[in-house]
């Protein structure tokens, strides 16, 4: 018989195995999911140690992404590995199950989950029973039925998308530098960002900084050759920082030759041509979609009450309206803002509220298990900070308005203080320090997205990447093509190249 490990779990036992104690099931490993589990494992240390309680976290990824640092990760200022927090290391007293919840039947106290092993097992999704449920699946990109959007656009919500976008931008500069076709060059150097919120503005500003710096290492590309376009459907950008700071941000972006188009929508991006509602047409190989988010699809597959926007209806105690033993917070939850004077006001679905809600939620779950009264969530919104690239920013915090370098510095200091774990704080700070001493990295590692391409080429004798048939739309960030290391056989009646033959001998 195998001995139990230090966490009270028998080696080899899957995390789905149910113990006799109370199971707290956490759906999601983002801000709310990670912080709720973190506070719970501290508050229920005795119960977890004795086996009376277990915390099971179901998450599609084994890490939590600190999204405010994604623009700097895309620009190469921070290593992508340092903007994520490994859940297994932080949540040492919890069980982690890499999978995705597809539905919840709270009447039966079960959640249906698919895991990485579901397909291989051939038994279908599994049902997890629970006693207390924390719903924190976060949100996904909100898309619209725009022709060509699904085929050509790139999102900016995950660390994978940030890395891919960085590689893609540098690759477009490589394409522009090597092509002899002016139309291809113009399309490769045109970058369209849709959405004037935090993600769109910060990603565009950081990547423009990176691309302008990178251009100095190309003999035939000048910074002025790059065309950057920001498309926003409303009449302002960065509404969270206030109207005055939003107008300053527009002036700052336009002073850097960024084309900011307000009250404008993307109508189509078919055929790699961005068509805007004002009639403009831009041949482009890059469309970045950051126009909002929507609740995760699993919320629609629950028997819990939801708002018209699809979020779970919650009380100020972060319980779900009309139900017991289920809790929600963050992007997935419509939490009443009891600090607001506006009737029916709800907390904004942002990181500032999510982190604080998670702490109250965890305290209330523990209080419920111990028979103590619950506390209400109350936090007045203190303001916002946004980066506009290196040494530029805007901020509206506690009624004070900052811009330029002070706002940029406040942006960094604030988000460094919010970054989970001392380990990650130290690594990010070290990278910022090194970035001030050394030059930027300008290497595209797009081949990392296709790690088997080189081996497949060697094994099959074919090109590194196959060419799609005519009429097939290319992917949004095409992989770097390269010569094959295997010589191609000459066509019939063609002599083998000799020593004086100037033709290439490889593919």
């Amino acid at each position: 018989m195998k001995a139990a490990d230090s966490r009270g779990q028998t080696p080899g036992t899957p995390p789905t195995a149910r113990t006799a104690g109370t199971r707290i099931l956490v759906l999601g490993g983002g801000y709310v999911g990670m912080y709720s589990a973190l506070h719970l494992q501290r508050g229920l240390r005795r119960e977890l140690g004795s086996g009376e309680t277990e915390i099971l976290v179901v998450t599609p990824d084994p890490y939590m992404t600190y999204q405010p640092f994604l623009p700097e990760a895309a620009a190469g200022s921070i290593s992508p590995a340092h903007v994520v927090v490994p859940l297994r290391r932080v949540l040492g007293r919890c069980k982690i199950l890499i999978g995705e919840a597809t539905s919840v039947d709270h009447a039966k106290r079960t959640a249906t989950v698919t895991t990485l092993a579901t397909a291989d097992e051939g038994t279908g999704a599994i049902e997890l029973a629970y006693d207390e449920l924390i719903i924190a699946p976060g949100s996904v990109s909100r898309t619209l039925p725009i022709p060509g959007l699904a085929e050509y656009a790139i999102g900016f919500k995950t660390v994978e998308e940030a890395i891919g976008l960085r590689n893609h931008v540098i690759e477009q500069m490589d394409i522009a530098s090597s092509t002899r076709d002016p139309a291809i060059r113009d399309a490769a150097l045109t970058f369209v960002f849709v959405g004037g919120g935090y993600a769109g503005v910060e990603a565009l500003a950081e990547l423009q900084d990176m691309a302008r710096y990178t251009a100095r290492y190309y003999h035939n590309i000048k910074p002025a050759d790059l065309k950057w376009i920001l498309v926003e459907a409303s009449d302002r950008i960065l509404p969270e920082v206030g109207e005055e700071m939003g107008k300053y941000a527009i002036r700052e972006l336009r002073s850097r030759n960024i084309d900011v188009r307000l009250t404008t929508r993307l109508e189509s991006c078919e055929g790699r041509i961005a068509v805007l509602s004002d009639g403009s047409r831009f041949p482009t190989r890059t469309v970045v979609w950051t126009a909002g988010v929507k609740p995760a699809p699993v919320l629609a597959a629950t028997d819990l009450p939801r708002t018209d926007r699809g979020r779970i209806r919650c009380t100020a105690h972060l319980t779900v309206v009309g139900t017991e033993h289920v809790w929600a917070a963050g992007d997935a939850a419509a939490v009443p803002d009891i600090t607001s004077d506006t009737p029916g006001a709800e907390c904004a679905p942002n990181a500032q509220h999510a982190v604080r809600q998670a702490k109250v939620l965890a305290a209330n779950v523990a209080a419920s298990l111990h028979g103590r009264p619950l506390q209400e969530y109350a936090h007045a919104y203190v303001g916002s900070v946004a980066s506009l690239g290196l040494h530029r920013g805007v901020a509206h915090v506690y009624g004070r308005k900052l811009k330029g370098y002070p706002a940029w510095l406040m942006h960094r200091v604030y988000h460094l203080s919010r970054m989970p774990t001392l380990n990650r704080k130290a690594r990010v700070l070290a990278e910022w320090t090194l970035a001030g001493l050394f030059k930027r990295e300008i290497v595209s590692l797009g081949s990392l997205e296709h790690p088997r391409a080189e081996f497949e080429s060697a094994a099959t004798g074919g090109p590194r990447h196959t060419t799609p048939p005519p009429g097939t739309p290319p992917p949004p960030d095409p992989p770097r093509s390269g010569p094959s290391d295997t010589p191609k056989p000459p066509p019939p009646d063609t002599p083998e190249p000799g020593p004086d033959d100037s033709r290439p001998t490889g593919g």
Side-chain angles (χ1 to χ4, degrees):
M1 181 177 179
K2 296 180 180 179
D5 64 13
S6 60
R7 300 178 191 172
Q9 183 177 347
T10 302
T13 302
T16 55
R18 182 69 185 269
T19 64
T22 300
R23 170 179 280 177
I24 303 173
L25 180 61
V26 182
L27 299 184
Y31 289 104
V32 174
M34 189 198 77
Y35 278 107
S36 295
L38 181 62
H39 292 301
L40 279 170
Q41 75 175 8
R42 293 172 180 169
L44 300 175
R45 183 182 298 271
R46 182 186 62 80
E47 291 85 347
L48 291 172
S50 65
E52 297 175 28
T53 302
E54 70 170 9
I55 303 172
L56 175 59
V57 180
V58 177
T59 172
D61 302 304
Y63 52 80
M64 188 276 277
T65 303
Y66 192 72
Q67 292 182 341
F69 281 157
L70 285 184
E72 292 200 51
S77 299
I78 302 176
S79 169
H82 297 160
V83 302
V84 298
V85 180
L87 296 178
R88 296 187 190 279
R89 178 184 297 174
V90 176
L91 304 177
R93 293 180 174 270
C94 302
K95 296 179 181 179
I96 308 297
L97 178 63
I98 305 305
E100 190 168 0
T102 56
S103 65
V104 172
D105 187 344
H106 188 59
K108 297 180 179 179
R109 302 278 185 94
T110 60
T112 303
V113 175
T114 58
T115 71
L116 296 178
T118 298
D120 290 339
E121 291 175 343
T123 56
I126 60 176
E127 283 194 352
L128 297 178
Y130 61 82
D131 298 290
E132 301 287 337
L133 176 65
I134 297 175
I135 298 184
S139 57
V140 298
S141 296
R142 177 177 61 86
T143 59
L144 299 174
I146 297 174
L149 185 68
E151 294 81 8
Y152 296 99
I154 307 171
F156 197 78
K157 188 169 172 57
T158 67
V159 67
E160 293 86 357
E161 289 172 331
I163 298 170
L165 185 56
R166 168 186 167 80
N167 292 334
H168 175 77
V169 169
I170 297 178
E171 185 175 89
Q172 297 313 301
M173 298 178 71
D174 290 337
I175 292 172
S177 177
S178 60
T179 185
R180 292 172 291 182
D181 188 329
I184 293 178
R185 175 185 169 90
D186 182 60
L189 296 181
T190 300
F191 306 94
V192 179
F193 285 68
V194 183
Y198 283 125
V201 172
E202 292 189 345
L204 184 153
E206 291 284 353
L207 285 166
Q208 195 233 18
D209 267 353
M210 181 203 71
R212 287 176 61 88
Y213 176 86
T214 305
R216 69 177 66 180
Y217 296 99
Y218 288 81
H219 70 281
N220 56 352
I221 296 180
K222 300 186 297 294
D225 296 335
L226 284 78
K227 184 183 300 182
W228 301 83
I229 303 161
L230 177 63
V231 180
E232 169 54 39
S234 69
D235 60 352
R236 57 195 292 192
I237 66 173
L238 299 174
E240 297 85 355
V241 298
E243 184 175 0
E244 181 182 343
M245 291 294 97
K247 290 180 178 179
Y248 168 80
I250 292 174
R251 294 195 301 270
E252 171 64 28
L253 294 176
R254 285 174 173 167
S255 71
R256 294 156 55 182
N257 294 322
I258 296 174
D259 186 354
V260 180
R261 303 204 172 205
L262 303 178
T263 62
T264 306
R265 299 179 306 278
L266 177 69
E267 299 285 352
S268 169
C269 56
E270 284 186 308
R272 292 200 182 280
I273 298 177
V275 180
L276 307 184
S277 59
D278 61 4
S280 303
R281 298 169 63 89
F282 297 98
T284 178
R285 298 171 62 91
T286 308
V287 174
V288 183
W289 181 265
T290 63
V293 296
K294 63 181 180 181
V298 67
L299 301 187
T302 70
D303 53 354
L304 302 173
R306 294 183 296 137
T307 66
D308 295 339
R309 295 188 177 184
R311 301 165 71 191
I312 300 294
R313 292 186 182 275
C314 292
T315 68
H317 298 107
L318 303 178
T319 59
V320 175
V321 172
T323 62
E324 295 181 343
H325 307 292
V326 57
W327 317 74
D331 293 352
V335 179
D337 185 359
I338 62 176
T339 66
S340 175
D341 295 330
T342 304
E346 297 176 354
C347 296
N350 55 37
Q352 184 179 141
H353 280 298
V355 173
R356 290 172 170 83
Q357 287 172 359
K359 184 176 182 179
V360 174
L361 186 152
N364 282 347
V365 172
S368 175
L369 295 177
H370 294 151
R372 299 195 303 264
L374 308 183
Q375 60 177 303
E376 292 185 327
Y377 173 75
H379 171 70
Y381 192 61
V382 298
S384 300
V385 292
S387 170
L388 299 178
L390 189 62
H391 299 160
R392 306 177 183 94
V394 289
H396 189 184
V397 182
Y398 292 113
R400 298 191 61 183
K401 300 173 184 178
L402 300 174
K403 56 187 178 182
Y405 184 86
W408 172 82
L409 184 60
M410 177 174 286
H411 173 272
R412 281 200 161 183
V413 170
Y414 173 77
H415 285 299
L416 183 65
S417 69
R418 298 294 96 189
M419 184 71 184
T421 78
L422 180 61
N423 178 299
R424 285 300 185 266
K425 286 183 173 71
R427 290 177 183 271
V428 170
L429 183 59
E431 288 193 306
W432 283 341
T433 302
L434 292 174
L437 300 175
F438 301 100
K439 297 180 179 179
R440 282 180 185 258
E441 292 291 344
I442 59 169
V443 178
S444 168
L445 297 177
S447 58
L448 290 177
E449 300 165 27
H450 307 274
R452 296 189 67 249
E454 188 71 29
F455 180 79
E456 288 178 347
S457 173
T460 62
R464 205 179 284 181
H465 303 291
T466 57
T467 303
T472 301
D477 53 343
R480 182 185 300 277
S481 59
S484 170
D485 292 334
T486 305
K488 297 179 181 178
D493 302 325
T494 301
E496 292 286 349
D500 297 329
D501 198 324
S502 61
R503 290 175 296 176
T505 59

